[in-house]
Amino acid sequence: MLIPVVTTIQEIRAAVADARRCGKTVGFVPTMGALHEGHAALVRAAHARSGFVVVSIFVNPTQFGPNEDFGKYPRTLATDQQVCADAGADLIFAPIPTEMYPEASVTFVEVSGLTDVLCGPARPGHFRGVCTVVLKLFNIVGPDVAHFGAKDYQQARIVRQMVRDLNVPVEVRVEPTVREADGLALSSRNRYLNADHRAAAAGIYRALQATQSRATTGERDVVRLEAMLHTDLATIPGVRVEYARILDADTLRPLTQLDRPAVAAVAVSLGGTRLIDNVIIGQ
Ligand code: PAF
């Protein structure tokens, strides 16, 4: 059975209010659609904790740069509805852009510091767009718990910071990355890869695993670890490495010694498709 889709703020607020009147807690999974097993895992996690689960599907224009893939980002509402139903969602909120950004919207949310590293410099304005839409969605849906994927480590860290700094009454939970059998992290953008690039993409997680095992077997020098990670990634056929960094897992600041939990985070481009992934090391 397909689950209902509502498109207006008035409808979603009414549906959430009804669920609350029935004593249900509200779980929320914000997405841009093109749902895959990683999103399904987020919905299942939400379903396990909350009595009423809302999934938003909105390809958010403000988080795409002028030369990025906003126009070609896959829009697959019918399949998404099935994924949501199978995973235990109750309702989809799929607004049109003018519902989210009426003409003359001039207010944006910026988190500083955490946005200056990793994906921030390569995607100016991206996290401002993410924070703005996520805060708007939190205000519109009013969930108790919101679920994000660990693949977008920096996004999840920034959203947590925003929630803390702006006293947003929502619990942010970060769920483990879901991977293909060969280790590639699931992403809506994997469908852009041709067969050669798809096969090569498995090398991203292999490089991160090699970093993890060097850390586990005693390498503590972060400059060396980063250099080896970069070299491993650079051997992937057809790759362009955007960054390969090992940063403090909490502050996202640089480290010299692996003396605390750190995130090894990478961004690469394969045939023009930008892919990111990460693992936690040094725990
Ligand atoms: O991770 C995503 O899909 C998006 O950045 C999000 C959180 C739905 C905001 O548009």
Side-chain angles (χ1 to χ4, degrees):
M1 199 188 70
L2 286 185
I3 59 170
V5 179
V6 297
T7 59
T8 67
I9 293 169
Q10 205 183 353
E11 287 170 303
I12 185 73
R13 286 203 167 130
V16 169
D18 278 351
R20 287 208 182 282
R21 266 193 294 278
C22 298
K24 294 179 177 167
T25 57
V26 178
F28 179 46
V29 180
T31 82
M32 298 205 299
L35 302 184
H36 49 64
E37 190 45 38
H39 296 109
L42 296 180
V43 176
R44 282 195 294 272
H47 182 67
R49 285 184 64 97
S50 303
F52 189 73
V53 174
V54 176
V55 177
S56 66
I57 296 181
F58 179 62
V59 185
N60 172 36
T62 65
Q63 70 187 75
F64 288 81
N67 300 317
E68 294 187 349
D69 56 343
F70 175 70
K72 77 162 186 179
Y73 200 86
R75 277 122 170 126
T76 58
L77 186 58
T79 337
D80 293 349
Q81 255 182 298
Q82 195 58 58
V83 173
C84 288
D86 293 346
D90 296 285
L91 188 63
I92 292 174
F93 175 50
I96 57 168
T98 50
E99 184 73 3
M100 290 301 287
Y101 296 108
E103 229 180 289
S105 291
V106 289
T107 306
F108 296 90
V109 181
E110 287 206 43
V111 173
S112 58
L114 294 170
T115 54
D116 294 343
V117 291
L118 303 178
C119 294
R123 304 190 71 189
H126 170 68
F127 288 117
R128 178 192 200 242
V130 169
C131 287
T132 302
V133 82
V134 169
L135 184 61
K136 284 168 72 72
L137 288 165
F138 285 172
N139 285 335
I140 291 166
V141 175
D144 298 292
V145 190
H147 301 260
F148 291 81
K151 181 181 74 74
D152 296 299
Y153 186 89
Q154 186 178 16
Q155 167 173 283
R157 179 64 190 83
I158 289 168
V159 167
R160 266 192 203 287
Q161 189 71 32
M162 174 187 77
V163 160
R164 202 204 70 175
D165 290 355
L166 299 181
N167 309 97
V168 186
V170 60
E171 180 192 345
V172 174
R173 292 190 62 87
V174 181
E175 312 295 347
T177 301
V178 179
R179 299 182 180 282
E180 300 280 7
D182 65 2
L184 176 64
L186 295 196
S187 161
S188 303
R189 291 188 169 101
N190 290 352
R191 67 187 75 193
Y192 299 154
L193 298 168
N194 69 23
D196 289 345
H197 291 137
R198 169 62 191 85
I204 301 168
Y205 187 52
R206 274 203 299 276
L208 287 168
Q209 282 180 305
T211 302
Q212 227 166 10
S213 73
R214 285 177 195 120
T216 312
T217 51
E219 180 60 83
R220 285 281 168 269
D221 185 313
V222 170
V223 174
R224 270 208 301 266
L225 283 167
E226 275 187 348
M228 288 186 280
L229 176 56
H230 197 286
T231 304
D232 287 349
L233 289 170
T235 63
I236 298 173
V239 86
R240 188 180 64 76
V241 182
E242 186 188 299
Y243 64 72
R245 298 300 316 274
I246 295 172
L247 303 174
D248 182 302
D250 181 45
T251 63
L252 301 187
R253 294 213 183 96
L255 291 170
T256 47
Q257 283 298 303
L258 193 57
D259 54 5
R260 68 197 78 177
V263 60
V266 302
V268 305
S269 168
L270 266 172
T273 300
R274 189 173 181 278
L275 301 172
I276 58 171
D277 200 352
N278 68 82
V279 293
I280 299 295
I281 60 174
Q283 314 186 70

